[in-house]
Amino acid sequence: MSKAIPEPVTRLIDALSALPGIGPKTASRLTYFLLRAPDKLSQNLSEALRDLKARTRLCSVCYNITVDDPCPICADERRDKRTIAVVEEPLDALALERTGVFQGVYHVLHGAISPVQGIGPDDLKIRELVQRAQGDVLEVIIATNPGMEGDATAMYIHRELQRKGLKLTRLARGLPTGGDLEYVDSVTLLRALQGRNLMG
Ligand code: ZN
């Protein structure tokens, strides 16, 4: 980066460039936009960024991102604690939530098994899931993303959870392969949820 650019400016450009979907060009544009914009805007942004990590944590039951522990879904008396939908990311839980029909609770893995990226079962909240499923859980819906990593994760979980009396299901095919649940429209997701298949 040119020496003509002051350090605080390059610092923000570099920080923004590290975000997914933001290249150096967009990062520069955003940074110069903030320089021109009213002070209030950068203040809000910096406060929001600070609070993001400081005021959130993982729910000790489902590992979703939450302010209160347990999270509002786990704390909700009306949710069926015997049905657990296993998802890769918090946004996937949100996508299922948007269908408006799922009455169970979630378990967020925080990723998927990926030998290429060096992510193994121990890097995910799988042991916690196995622990949880030992209670009076009746069904575990494996709602990992369609695609190689999601399938590998589903297979691993299936192996770990197989026991008498526990129903293991997987979202129906028909979801776009390689796409994340968060990008699937609610109608398609609802159909995949309702048509979920029993895993052998
Ligand atoms: Zn929770």
Side-chain angles (χ1 to χ4, degrees):
M1 194 91 46
S2 160
K3 283 210 179 76
I5 304 173
E7 192 272 337
V9 177
T10 51
R11 190 177 167 201
L12 183 58
I13 293 174
D14 288 347
L16 290 171
S17 303
L19 300 174
I22 297 192
K25 251 190 196 161
T26 306
S28 302
R29 209 175 301 136
L30 289 171
T31 301
Y32 282 98
F33 170 79
L34 285 167
L35 278 169
R36 282 193 310 269
D39 290 358
K40 192 73 199 145
L41 194 66
S42 340
Q43 271 163 24
N44 279 345
L45 189 63
S46 75
E47 279 167 26
L49 282 173
R50 197 193 50 217
D51 283 0
L52 182 65
K53 288 286 193 133
R55 294 193 50 227
T56 58
R57 64 180 105 182
L58 298 183
C59 170
S60 60
V61 181
C62 71
Y63 298 92
N64 207 344
I65 308 282
T66 182
V67 172
D68 301 311
D69 186 23
C71 74
I73 292 176
C74 289
D76 189 340
E77 296 278 314
R78 290 160 301 181
R79 304 293 292 234
D80 177 12
K81 308 291 188 311
R82 296 165 308 171
T83 306
I84 300 176
V86 181
V87 293
E88 291 180 22
E89 303 291 349
L91 282 175
D92 300 332
L94 213 64
L96 281 171
E97 206 52 21
R98 271 199 304 266
T99 64
V101 293
F102 182 63
Q103 287 304 306
V105 289
Y106 297 97
H107 190 91
V108 183
L109 297 172
H110 292 277
I113 294 172
S114 168
V116 181
Q117 291 179 60
I119 301 169
D122 290 343
D123 301 312
L124 308 170
K125 302 290 182 197
I126 292 181
R127 214 172 312 153
E128 290 81 351
L129 172 66
V130 174
Q131 195 82 39
R132 220 179 141 189
Q134 275 163 5
D136 50 4
V137 174
L138 294 179
E139 180 180 0
V140 173
I141 303 167
I142 305 177
T144 49
N145 293 331
M148 238 162 57
E149 294 171 357
D151 286 345
T153 310
M155 251 140 67
Y156 183 88
I157 291 172
H158 177 244
R159 236 180 6 245
E160 290 293 302
L161 289 186
Q162 256 178 324
R163 68 162 164 85
K164 251 180 133 158
L166 179 62
K167 195 167 148 196
L168 293 169
T169 53
R170 177 97 167 98
L171 289 190
R173 303 276 153 185
L175 293 174
T177 304
D180 288 0
L181 290 197
E182 59 164 301
Y183 300 123
V184 179
D185 68 278
S186 292
V187 177
T188 308
L189 197 52
L190 178 61
R191 224 177 282 140
L193 181 66
Q194 288 169 338
R196 61 189 183 269
N197 303 308
L198 199 61
M199 291 181 89

